[in-house]
Amino acid sequence: MGEYEPTIIAFVCNWCTYTAADLAGTSRLAYPSNTRLIRMMCTGMVDPKYVIKAFLEGADAVLISGCHPGDCHYINGNFKARRRVKLLKEILPHFGFDKRRIRLAWIGASEGVDFAKTMREMAAEIKELGPTEVREQMVL
Amino acid sequence: MAKTVKIEVKEQNLLATLQKFFKTLLQNGDIDALLVPQHLPMKNSVMPTLVADPEKIDGVDPLAPVFPMNSAKVVSKLTRRPLDEKIAVVLRPCEIRAFIELVKLKQGETENVVLIGMDCYGAYGNVDYTRFAGDDGSDASLRFYENVVSGKGTAWEDIDISPACKACEHPVPEHADMVIGFVGVDTKDQLLLKAITASGENLLEKLGLPEGEETEDRKKAIENLVSERISYRDKMFDETSEATSDIKKLTAYLGNCVNCYNCRVACPVCYCKECVFVTDVFDHEPSQYLKWAKRKGIIKMPTDTIFYHMTRLAHMSTACIGCGQCSNACPNDIPVMEIFRTIASYTQKAFDYEAGRSLEDEPPLSVFREVEYNELTGGKD
Ligand code: SF4
Ligand code: SF4
Ligand code: FES
């Protein structure tokens, strides 16, 4: 078995962070290969249940990343996302999921460097925490 | 604004007094109908009834220690579109608080409705109540009431009021137009009737009742009751947090859940018209189950149990008013209320919100500010 690489599910906005991830790729910036990008039209579409499902399926961490405040193409989707992240950070830790496993970021389309850095940082932090106990449980 | 009068209790019979009071209220013509719990003639159960004819009010029993459902749902049905008529509704404190949440979610209106709140000593679960009531429901209500007032308490044989009621720190209605009070009142000869809003006062004025007052004794009694409830509640929070502190424990806690979803049907503030868990989204392809089983080696059937409860917590815990109807509805005795109230205490605190507190506080997930919680993005606005 190789070294433990955390699986990070990243819900990214089509208009900004998705493009940033693309840019990171084409610029050959290194970021963890276990990042699974899920492209959303806006972070405002990320229902809390998507995040919960990701964790219950064994994800080690979840990132929600969208446009900087003021830049959301749907005006305020990112503000709604922020409240939901706040909510999830209250609920999930009570069931043993460390707060650090849920992250929110604003990463604009041109910020490929920022995207790669965020993912690397997150992976390093989660590596220290280790996997969640979900993997050993029947939690469907 | 508050105006207080008293309802005289005749022959020490509280129920007869209340029946007469509600009859007068309906007769004096200012309201077209009254929503009030009554014993149904064919059975001893107590259900909310909508009464338009003052002669059809003999089974009224708002003292019965049971509420088969949270009536906020009924009031929502009655007010979700503008009404020409005026109605009065008799509710428990938790029903009023649930209704306040529904109004804010645009599933009800306070216009043309007079909310009459009653003090509440708690209620038994539906099944326990049937045993307690035996053949004479009205008699049982008075028996319950006397036990409480005489200091014997709420327990009877091996049953007691529900944990939700034991943990409820709102035994006295706070947001009614009018309150019928008996906690700390000498009910041998009177009940307290207090109008809090203008519409309550209007109704009260027509009744021509003698003036009354809210005594120090009443305030003391309420304080004592509330502090008892709070200490039960906080202990419950601690125990429940401990019992669900990781996924393994949570799985055990919900181990008997069969995904019947009764808890959300019974929940007054589970506001979606159609719950995603009963839509096609969860009609998984047969092959999907096989895929899961192969990947994990084993899966519990039905699936999505923890997923369901955690999602419900995310969707509505900020609106949970702790009525306990979820536990009441569960066929498998899962302490649903305990976990919902416990998590709700954290989620509501996080947004400085208290479900049912006021019509003005905005539901935390329906609003946002441009600048807030920037610690979530490492200080970036
Ligand atoms: S979750 Fe349970 S206790 Fe909370 S409002 Fe719904 S039914 Fe009542
Ligand atoms: S009522 Fe009980 S068994 Fe049914 S879904 Fe809710 S917790 Fe599960
Ligand atoms: S469009 Fe990017 S967060 Fe809304």
Side-chain angles (χ1 to χ4, degrees):
Chain A
M1 237 175 91
E3 206 188 336
Y4 160 66
E5 285 297 338
T7 303
I8 302 173
I9 305 294
F11 294 98
V12 295
C13 161
N14 172 59
W15 304 103
C16 52
T17 311
Y18 183 79
T19 312
D22 208 23
L23 183 62
T26 50
S27 325
R28 300 183 178 278
L29 297 170
Y31 70 86
S33 55
N34 274 7
T35 304
R36 314 273 165 86
L37 293 181
I38 299 182
R39 179 185 187 175
M40 311 290 285
M41 286 310 283
C42 173
T43 54
M45 285 184 67
V46 184
D47 189 284
K49 67 177 170 289
Y50 303 161
V51 178
I52 293 169
K53 177 73 171 171
F55 280 116
L56 294 181
E57 286 294 315
D60 296 305
V62 171
L63 169 74
I64 296 173
S65 181
C67 310
H68 287 270
D71 292 348
C72 172
H73 285 52
Y74 307 94
I75 302 167
N76 50 32
N78 48 1
F79 294 139
K80 293 176 186 156
R82 186 165 56 193
R83 286 229 161 189
R84 293 179 193 141
V85 169
K86 168 97 182 147
L87 176 80
L88 287 163
K89 274 184 182 270
E90 280 303 321
I91 297 177
L92 289 166
H94 285 287
F95 304 125
F97 297 94
D98 193 289
K99 264 189 170 56
R100 286 168 289 182
R101 295 184 189 274
I102 316 148
R103 218 193 244 220
L104 177 72
W106 309 138
I107 301 175
S110 60
E111 299 173 315
V113 175
D114 200 15
F115 175 79
K117 187 169 153 257
T118 303
M119 295 321 298
R120 281 198 308 269
E121 269 175 21
M122 219 174 152
E125 191 168 62
I126 304 306
K127 220 167 177 170
E128 270 183 19
L129 291 174
T132 69
E133 26 157 46
V134 165
R135 290 176 195 252
E136 298 117 58
Q137 299 288 320
M138 286 186 279
V139 285
L140 257 169
Chain B
M1 198 192 282
K3 189 177 151 76
T4 309
V5 297
K6 61 185 175 193
I7 308 172
E8 280 168 75
V9 174
K10 294 272 157 62
E11 288 161 22
Q12 301 203 16
N13 191 330
L14 270 188
L15 264 189
T17 305
L18 285 168
Q19 277 156 7
K20 190 163 151 268
F21 169 75
F22 287 125
K23 193 170 194 164
T24 319
L25 198 67
L26 202 49
Q27 269 166 344
N28 94 12
D30 213 36
I31 50 168
D32 297 284
L34 179 72
L35 182 80
V36 63
Q38 282 209 58
H39 290 282
L40 302 184
M42 32 309 187
K43 217 175 164 259
N44 240 329
S45 52
V46 180
M47 284 288 167
T49 57
L50 184 64
V51 194
D53 177 352
E55 297 309 317
K56 298 271 160 77
I57 210 157
D58 296 340
V60 158
D61 187 358
L63 293 180
V66 67
F67 64 128
M69 63 181 304
N70 187 310
S71 294
K73 292 176 79 141
V74 179
V75 185
S76 156
K77 273 190 203 306
L78 291 169
T79 63
R80 69 189 176 89
R81 296 213 206 295
L83 264 183
D84 291 330
E85 286 95 345
K86 190 164 191 168
I87 57 171
V89 299
V90 183
L91 300 175
R92 290 174 188 271
C94 62
E95 296 175 315
I96 295 178
R97 290 168 51 249
F99 183 60
I100 286 178
E101 289 305 300
L102 291 176
V103 170
K104 290 193 277 190
L105 294 161
K106 313 266 185 288
Q107 296 192 3
E109 258 299 335
T110 50
E111 201 140 329
N112 286 338
V113 186
V114 184
L115 300 174
I116 304 179
M118 304 251 324
D119 286 3
C120 180
Y121 279 129
Y124 298 128
N126 292 350
V127 180
D128 287 342
Y129 173 75
T130 312
R131 247 179 71 211
F132 172 77
D135 309 324
D136 189 342
S138 309
D139 183 64
S141 301
L142 290 172
R143 180 154 46 99
F144 174 78
Y145 186 80
E146 268 151 32
N147 284 346
V148 177
V149 175
S150 70
K152 272 196 219 142
T154 51
W156 175 79
E157 292 189 354
D158 58 333
I159 63 180
D160 203 350
I161 58 170
S162 73
C165 299
K166 286 187 188 163
C168 170
E169 67 281 60
H170 302 279
V172 171
E174 283 140 31
H175 278 281
D177 293 301
M178 218 185 219
V179 172
I180 298 179
F182 45 75
V183 175
V185 174
D186 185 2
T187 52
K188 276 197 292 303
D189 51 45
Q190 60 169 284
L191 282 167
L192 200 75
L193 181 62
K194 185 167 140 190
I196 298 175
T197 64
S199 84
E201 213 164 297
N202 275 341
L203 203 56
L204 188 140
E205 249 150 39
K206 306 234 165 62
L207 300 172
L209 291 166
E211 206 150 303
E213 62 163 336
E214 191 138 41
T215 59
E216 280 308 310
D217 282 356
R218 172 163 165 82
K219 284 183 198 149
K220 265 256 158 57
I222 294 174
E223 248 173 54
N224 289 343
L225 188 57
V226 170
S227 74
E228 237 173 70
R229 300 270 178 95
I230 287 180
S231 56
Y232 182 95
R233 180 198 70 185
D234 291 346
K235 190 159 164 270
M236 174 183 97
F237 286 165
D238 289 347
E239 287 170 1
T240 311
S241 292
E242 179 50 41
T244 56
S245 64
D246 59 36
I247 272 291
K248 212 171 179 169
K249 290 190 194 166
L250 183 66
T251 312
Y253 190 92
L254 298 167
N256 290 334
C257 177
V258 291
N259 293 38
C260 68
Y261 305 141
N262 283 358
C263 45
R264 79 152 178 88
V265 176
C267 176
V269 297
C270 234
Y271 50 85
C272 294
K273 291 290 171 209
E274 188 179 34
C275 176
V276 64
F277 283 87
V278 298
T279 63
D280 288 352
V281 175
F282 286 87
D283 255 342
H284 307 303
E285 283 298 318
S287 59
Q288 180 68 62
Y289 294 106
L290 270 298
K291 255 187 239 159
W292 279 326
K294 281 186 186 154
R295 173 152 63 83
K296 303 183 180 190
I298 175 174
I299 55 170
K300 180 207 136 250
M301 301 291 279
T303 56
D304 303 310
T305 305
I306 306 279
F307 188 22
Y308 158 69
H309 287 285
M310 276 185 146
T311 300
R312 206 166 83 84
L313 282 167
H315 284 175
M316 55 57 67
S317 68
T318 52
C320 171
I321 44 79
C323 64
Q325 287 298 350
C326 45
S327 291
N328 200 5
C330 179
N332 294 323
D333 286 334
I334 293 163
V336 193
M337 175 283 297
E338 282 83 339
I339 190 168
F340 274 74
R341 265 217 80 181
T342 302
I343 298 300
S345 76
Y346 300 117
T347 56
Q348 294 182 16
K349 204 186 296 144
F351 292 102
D352 192 16
Y353 185 78
E354 189 190 313
R357 179 170 56 189
S358 84
L359 280 167
E360 285 74 41
D361 299 347
E362 301 159 309
L365 294 165
S366 312
V367 292
F368 54 83
R369 303 277 175 273
E370 288 188 15
V371 178
E372 61 179 2
Y373 311 128
N374 70 7
E375 72 280 2
L376 296 175
T377 41
K380 267 203 235 169
D381 274 326

